[in-house]
Amino acid sequence: MTRRLRIRHTTKVSYAQAAVSSHNEVRMTPLTLPGQTTLDARVLVNPSTPTWSYWDYWGTQVTGFDLMEPHANLTITAVSLVETAPPGGLQAAPTWAEVAELVAKSRLLEYASPTSRTTMPDALVERARAAAAGLDPHETAVAVSSLVADHVRYIPGSTGVNTAAAEAWEQGAGVCQDIAHLTAGLLRALGLPTRYVSGYLHPERDAELHRPVEGQSHAWVEYWAGDWTGYDPTNRVRADESHVVVGRGRDYDDVTPHKGVYRGVAGGPPEVMVEFTRVA
C-alpha cells in the first residue's frame, strides 16, 4: 500500500556571538525514484535570503544560500510531501563473478572502494567473510547486516557525526550512521558495491492519518545485486514505504544534511527536529 507523508525537518543553529556571515549547503529534499515520488518540496531559511538549487555529483538535490549580514541564529526548515510504495520482489542475484566483472568496468567501482569512514580492520573483514561463506549477494547483505547489528547496539547519542565506523565497532554501540557505515564497509570489502543512504524513517508502520509524530533522520544502505536494493541494518528490514530517500553516496560526507562555513565564534551543536504526518 502506498503512503503519502508530509515531512518537516527543522535545524536551528545558535552562535555564541553573531556570525558575521555564513555560506551554507542543505541536502534535505527527497528524491523522486521508482517507488518514491516527491510531490512538493521547499527549503525555507530564517533570516530570509535567496536560495538556489543544483544536483551534485552523487545525484542529490542541494539547496545553497549565503547570509552576508550578522546573524545570531539560523533556522532551516525543509518541508516536503512524498508518496512512497512498498519495494518490489528481489530479482535473482547475479553470481559473484558477474558482480566483479561489472564493478571493474563501471561506476560501481566508486561504491566498491573503501573511504576513510568505511575502512574496516582485517580481522573484522574476516569475520564478515566467514559469516557470508557460501551465500549469494542478497544473502550476504543480510548476513553482514546481522553481524553488525548483533554487535553494535543502537544507542542515540553514543557517537558523533565524526565517529569512524571502526570506533563504533570497538565500543559496541552507535547510531544508524555508524551501523550503515560498518555494513557498507564490510560489504565493499567482500566485493559487493554498496551505497550509504541518507533520508528519513517514519517511526510508525501503522500510522494514524493526519496525526503529527516525531520522526528522525536516518541512514541505511543500498547494495548492488543486479539492481540496487535498499536494506536497513539498524532495523534488520528491507527499506520500504516507511523510508524516504534524500541522498546516496559513499558515506555520510557525501550526503551531509547541512554543512557550510561561517565567520564568527562557535556555538553549541544544532538543534534538529523531524516531524512526520501521514496524510494518505
Side-chain angles (χ1 to χ4, degrees):
M1 176 180 290
T2 61
R3 287 184 167 200
R4 190 166 290 187
L5 304 171
R6 189 174 302 282
I7 306 165
R8 187 178 186 89
H9 180 172
T10 304
T11 299
K12 296 181 178 180
V13 181
S14 298
Y15 305 101
Q17 298 178 12
V20 177
S21 61
S22 66
H23 309 272
N24 303 266
E25 287 185 353
V26 172
R27 290 169 173 81
M28 298 181 185
T29 301
L31 300 173
T32 290
L33 310 162
Q36 175 178 307
T37 302
T38 299
L39 303 172
D40 182 43
R42 292 163 288 151
V43 176
L44 309 173
V45 180
N46 186 19
S48 181
T49 189
T51 65
W52 62 90
S53 296
Y54 66 94
W55 298 92
D56 69 13
Y57 177 81
W58 305 104
T60 304
Q61 185 171 334
V62 183
T63 300
F65 61 90
D66 297 330
L67 289 167
M68 304 308 295
E69 299 293 333
H71 51 287
N73 301 283
L74 168 62
T75 301
I76 305 164
T77 304
V79 181
S80 54
L81 180 64
V82 185
E83 189 167 87
T84 60
L90 290 176
Q91 70 175 69
T95 66
W96 286 104
E98 290 170 335
V99 172
E101 180 181 2
L102 188 56
V103 166
K105 60 183 182 182
S106 74
R107 282 190 58 190
L108 287 174
L109 182 61
E110 294 177 312
Y111 297 109
S113 305
T115 66
S116 60
R117 285 184 178 269
T118 61
T119 298
M120 297 290 106
D122 291 341
L124 182 51
V125 173
E126 289 309 310
R127 286 189 60 174
R129 199 179 307 280
L135 302 181
D136 71 23
H138 289 307
E139 296 166 337
T140 293
V142 174
V144 170
S145 295
S146 295
L147 173 68
V148 173
D150 285 344
H151 184 82
V152 180
R153 291 172 297 152
Y154 175 76
I155 302 179
S158 57
T159 57
V161 294
N162 294 317
T163 302
E167 295 177 57
W169 178 269
E170 287 298 321
Q171 71 179 36
V175 295
C176 57
Q177 171 185 304
D178 305 303
I179 294 171
H181 277 153
L182 281 162
T183 303
L186 290 173
L187 291 177
R188 291 170 188 168
L190 298 185
L192 193 60
T194 307
R195 303 193 286 210
Y196 177 96
V197 185
S198 175
Y200 303 110
L201 174 64
H202 195 296
E204 299 179 8
R205 297 196 174 274
D206 298 315
E208 180 184 340
L209 291 178
H210 308 298
R211 180 175 64 86
V213 297
E214 183 178 351
Q216 58 183 309
S217 296
H218 195 52
W220 59 99
V221 300
E222 291 176 350
Y223 63 89
W224 192 89
D227 196 2
W228 289 107
T229 299
Y231 194 84
D232 181 348
T234 301
N235 294 295
R236 304 174 189 248
V237 296
R238 285 186 68 191
D240 59 19
E241 65 273 23
S242 294
H243 295 74
V244 177
V245 177
V246 171
R248 300 126 149 184
R250 296 163 300 177
D251 59 30
Y252 175 83
D253 291 336
D254 289 336
V255 292
T256 307
H258 172 222
K259 63 181 177 181
V261 295
Y262 65 91
R263 292 178 57 203
V265 179
E271 178 185 346
V272 178
M273 182 178 70
V274 177
E275 181 185 86
F276 271 96
T277 305
R278 184 181 177 188
V279 299

